[in-house]
Amino acid sequence: MRFGKHIASASVLALALLTGCKGCKQEAGGPAASSPDAEAQPVAPRSGVKVPLPKGWSVQVAPDESLQAGPPGQAVLRVDLRRGQGEQMPTVDALADRVREELKGYELSLDQEEESDTYSLLRITFAPKLADGGVGVQAPGFFGARRVGSDLFLCASLPGASPEDVRLATEACRDIQVQPAPR
């Protein structure tokens, strides 16, 4: 039971980091999302979003209009679109600060920080601090931001992702593209 509670906490963390990103505001209307082989149903007719997913992964638009993808039967990657907010892309240091703030009750290891002018990616390992002074089960995690043109994509791994799923989710976030709408 204790582990399930911490999985739920991790899910809340992923949502808090995505929705509470300093300088990132929710846009009216939802993101467009697609599989790697199909064009998105765009919010505006100007473009389609393309997230290159690993072989065998599927994608769906969740009820909150986020894109969720993963291997059969399990979503391990969440992507939220903030149209027109690309200039507000957080740095990897800002992502790390936010993760540290949100995970005060966890042992935290920053495993990989990667940054360019178009993305900030942070892979972590975290485990809940237990009341007896011990540490619970470790879990991998990933948070990222990708700027494509004027748009900002916020990415996070979801609870239950394996270390390999987190690695693949990181690569998918790094390579998000926006395709121009046909004229």
Side-chain angles (χ1 to χ4, degrees), residues 15 20 47 71 77 86 90 96 100 113 117 142 149 166 175:
L15 293 174
S47 64
L77 169 64
R100 283 186 196 103
E113 299 176 25
D117 59 339
F142 151 71
V166 169
D175 296 330

Side-chain angles (χ1 to χ4, degrees), residues 105-181:
Y106 292 78
E107 285 287 324
L108 178 64
S109 167
L110 301 180
D111 301 333
Q112 180 182 1
E113 299 176 25
E114 187 177 340
E115 186 171 55
S116 78
D117 59 339
T118 60
Y119 61 81
S120 298
L121 305 170
L122 178 66
R123 287 189 0 208
I124 66 170
T125 301
F126 63 105
K129 295 177 184 176
L130 303 177
D132 65 6
V135 178
V137 177
Q138 289 187 334
F142 151 71
F143 301 95
R146 167 94 164 109
R147 179 178 51 225
V148 180
S150 64
D151 295 332
L152 179 64
F153 296 86
L154 300 172
C155 308
S157 59
L158 294 170
S162 71
E164 179 65 5
D165 291 337
V166 169
R167 186 187 68 76
L168 294 170
T170 304
E171 291 175 9
C173 185
R174 181 188 303 117
D175 296 330
I176 292 172
Q177 302 171 15
V178 176
Q179 299 176 331

Side-chain angles (χ1 to χ4, degrees), residues 50-76:
K50 191 163 186 106
V51 180
L53 298 175
K55 186 175 182 171
W57 280 28
S58 61
V59 64
Q60 61 183 267
V61 177
D64 65 1
E65 297 185 0
S66 66
L67 167 71
Q68 296 191 10
Q74 181 182 14
V76 297

Side-chain angles (χ1 to χ4, degrees), residues 66-86:
S66 66
L67 167 71
Q68 296 191 10
Q74 181 182 14
V76 297
L77 169 64
R78 176 188 170 104
V79 179
D80 289 279
L81 169 61
R82 303 293 186 259
R83 290 217 186 263
Q85 295 182 21

